[in-house]
Amino acid sequence: MTAPDSTTPAFPALSGRKYFMNFPVTDTSHSLEAYKARGGYQSLHKALTSMQPTDVTKEVSASGLLGHGGAAFPAGRKWGVIKLTDGEPHYVCMNADEGEPGTFKDRWLLEHVPHLCIEGLILASYAIMGRHAFIYIRGEFDLPYRRLRDAIEEAYAAGLLGENILGTGYSLDIVLYRGAGSYVCGEASAMLASLEGKKGWPRNRPPRLTVKGLYQRPTVVNNVETLANIPAIVGEGGEAFRKVGLPKSPGTQMISISGHLVRPGVYEIEYGYSWEKFIYEDCGGILGGRGLKCVIPGGVSTKILDANELKGRTLDHNSALAAGSQIGSGGMIVIAEGTCMVRVARVIQRFYHHESCGQCTPCREGMGWMERILDRVVRGEGRPEDIDRLYHISNANDGTTICSLGDSAGYACSAILDHYREEFEYFITHGRSMYDGSLTVEDPFAAVGATA
């Protein structure tokens, strides 16, 4: 990267600080032996031998670590709610139910650094004086599940879990729980209900989960990536961690990027990195040399941003908010020019309708209603009032459901309508797509047809 001049903003290099993707991945790099060779579990030893539980929470608070599950809530503030002297059992639950379309960065962590995730979970449990911790993993995750299962067994055998860890008197057991494939169980309260053996339905709050969570006891629920940051924070100190990235978005962000890209995949970037540089240079730009139409920044729950809205933006929470969206869970989907946004909206809405748990009437009825309208439009039978009807249903779901699934579906649909209303109007007027209904840059059957 060349030295910046007066017109070029200085962004941290992509090859800068990394906390996760900083080692060569091999057939054995996920093992306990390999992890310890990279300095693994040294932070746990430091915490258990020279720090009080409150000291761990203080370091996490000082680091400014924000949650990586989508809400970006300060992790230290969440932990600090737990009253260590209340005489109740406390629990930590790692949210590994990564089901947001476009998001697959937690899967990388679980597959390649399972011991880092476990060390972070132990440190979080120690900070709130928990005796039992839980990992709720997505049912479809096979390799991540097996890697975690084996890593937990290795940790027990090495005295890193169970009774009297490292001879310090602290004890912790971890329960690895496999979900059954429900998207809504990624919501914290629904996850805890599922852990208790109940139907995975979200519940009203207050009380907060840190007051009455799992088994009605104080519970901290953190995302995989959030907990994976804890060993570095404890090992280096919160102030050192805060110097990476930006003051209001410290550290790094795992980005799982997919769509019409030359080099999709999982990347780790420092907050504050140029959004355009990331897409056009590091990810190789758009397939087929096409232009960028829009980006879904953080999973389909976040509002789309078009190419103009990305100009000059950096990858951090404040910049995304200023543009009208969110970094969310780090699941970025890139969409090229020539893509039919009516069909994109239909695919997203079909997902939300399928995954609605049905507990709340606005979501249960609204998701199906929106899908039926979009189905009708795509069939060429759209009506002029359909666009306003979609807006109406989206607004009716905003803030009227227990969890945010209904809100998110409405935001996703209304954002596409705001940006590309003319495509919907064209589809309704002419009975066909402005872009022939294309969702791909290249016809996947073109080669087959040529040889047939």
Side-chain angles (χ1 to χ4, degrees), residues 274-297:
S274 166
W275 211 320
E276 293 171 290
K277 179 176 171 62
F278 177 57
I279 292 174
Y280 292 112
E281 296 184 25
D282 301 302
C283 297
I286 312 302
L287 281 172
R290 295 200 183 188
L292 173 66
K293 186 167 189 173
C294 61
V295 167
I296 301 175

Side-chain angles (χ1 to χ4, degrees), residues 44-305:
L44 178 63
H45 183 272
K46 174 184 176 181
L48 296 186
T49 58
S50 63
M51 299 175 71
Q52 295 297 315
T54 53
D55 296 332
V56 177
T57 299
K58 286 177 182 177
E59 290 296 342
V60 174
S61 296
S63 73
L65 175 67
L66 302 176
H68 286 261
F73 189 83
R77 191 187 305 174
K78 180 185 288 188
W79 296 8
V81 174
I82 304 294
K83 297 179 180 178
L84 302 186
T85 58
D86 59 9
E88 294 194 80
H90 305 147
Y91 303 115
V92 178
C93 179
M94 178 191 291
N95 186 344
D97 192 61
E98 186 176 49
E100 179 77 4
T103 307
F104 46 94
K105 47 93 176 179
D106 286 345
R107 185 178 69 182
W108 192 96
L109 294 170
L110 297 169
E111 289 182 4
H112 299 297
V113 284
H115 280 286
L116 178 66
C117 303
I118 291 170
E119 185 177 10
L121 180 57
I122 301 171
L123 288 167
S125 298
Y126 176 67
I128 68 164
M129 295 180 65
R131 178 61 179 80
H132 293 86
F134 299 82
I135 300 174
Y136 190 100
I137 187 168
R138 183 180 178 183
E140 295 88 343
F141 279 177
D142 180 56
L143 180 58
Y145 171 80
R146 289 186 281 116
R147 288 276 171 88
L148 266 180
R149 179 197 61 198
D150 295 346
I152 290 171
E153 291 177 358
E154 285 184 310
Y156 270 108
L160 298 164
L161 283 173
E163 298 287 340
N164 194 24
I165 297 174
L166 299 176
T168 62
Y170 177 64
S171 302
L172 179 72
D173 287 307
I174 291 179
V175 175
L176 179 59
Y177 187 94
R178 205 167 189 175
S182 170
Y183 170 72
V184 79
C185 282
E187 195 275 339
S189 64
M191 175 180 296
L192 299 186
S194 180
L195 270 172
E196 293 173 351
K198 302 172 183 175
K199 185 180 292 186
W201 275 3
R203 71 188 197 205
N204 280 312
R205 284 168 275 179
R208 292 173 293 182
L209 300 181
T210 48
V211 177
K212 288 190 179 296
L214 186 65
Y215 308 124
Q216 296 299 300
R217 305 299 185 185
T219 304
V220 166
V221 179
N222 279 139
N223 172 259
V224 172
E225 187 182 354
T226 306
L227 292 171
N229 276 285
I230 307 303
I233 293 171
V234 172
E236 301 178 2
E239 290 302 325
F241 182 88
R242 198 165 199 134
K243 293 178 182 177
V244 179
L246 298 176
K248 293 185 178 180
S249 294
T252 66
Q253 172 72 50
M254 295 283 284
I255 298 287
S256 48
I257 187 166
S258 60
H260 303 144
L261 278 173
V262 174
R263 290 191 293 272
V266 180
Y267 296 79
E268 183 181 3
I269 55 99
E270 288 190 27
Y271 283 117
Y273 190 69
S274 166
W275 211 320
E276 293 171 290
K277 179 176 171 62
F278 177 57
I279 292 174
Y280 292 112
E281 296 184 25
D282 301 302
C283 297
I286 312 302
L287 281 172
R290 295 200 183 188
L292 173 66
K293 186 167 189 173
C294 61
V295 167
I296 301 175
V300 298
S301 297
T302 56
K303 297 180 180 180
I304 63 167
L305 298 174

Side-chain angles (χ1 to χ4, degrees), residues 311-436:
K311 287 183 179 179
R313 298 288 177 188
T314 55
L315 281 160
D316 62 88
H317 295 288
N318 286 346
S319 184
L321 284 170
S325 190
Q326 296 172 290
I327 294 294
S329 56
M332 196 179 300
I333 303 173
V334 174
I335 299 173
E337 287 287 358
T339 304
C340 175
M341 296 306 294
V342 180
R343 289 193 63 199
V344 169
R346 176 175 174 262
V347 168
I348 292 173
Q349 199 55 51
R350 182 172 58 194
F351 167 80
Y352 278 119
H353 181 207
H354 180 268
E355 293 296 340
S356 174
C357 74
Q359 182 179 191
C360 304
T361 301
C363 180
R364 181 183 67 246
E365 302 300 327
M367 297 305 96
W369 196 359
M370 293 174 76
E371 184 187 13
R372 289 191 296 274
I373 290 173
L374 289 168
D375 279 347
R376 186 171 66 241
V377 172
V378 170
R379 289 198 309 269
E381 302 170 3
R383 305 164 186 168
E385 65 269 20
D386 283 342
I387 294 176
D388 289 337
R389 183 69 67 192
L390 288 169
Y391 272 121
H392 173 76
I393 301 169
S394 298
N395 293 334
N397 273 279
D398 191 3
T400 61
T401 54
I402 293 174
C403 81
S404 61
L405 188 147
D407 299 3
S408 298
Y411 297 157
C413 185
S414 60
I416 293 175
L417 285 167
D418 289 343
H419 285 80
Y420 303 106
R421 182 176 182 130
E422 72 280 1
E423 291 191 33
F424 288 80
E425 292 173 341
Y426 185 95
F427 218 131
I428 291 170
T429 301
H430 296 86
R432 59 184 176 85
S433 171
M434 185 182 292
Y435 299 100
D436 295 325

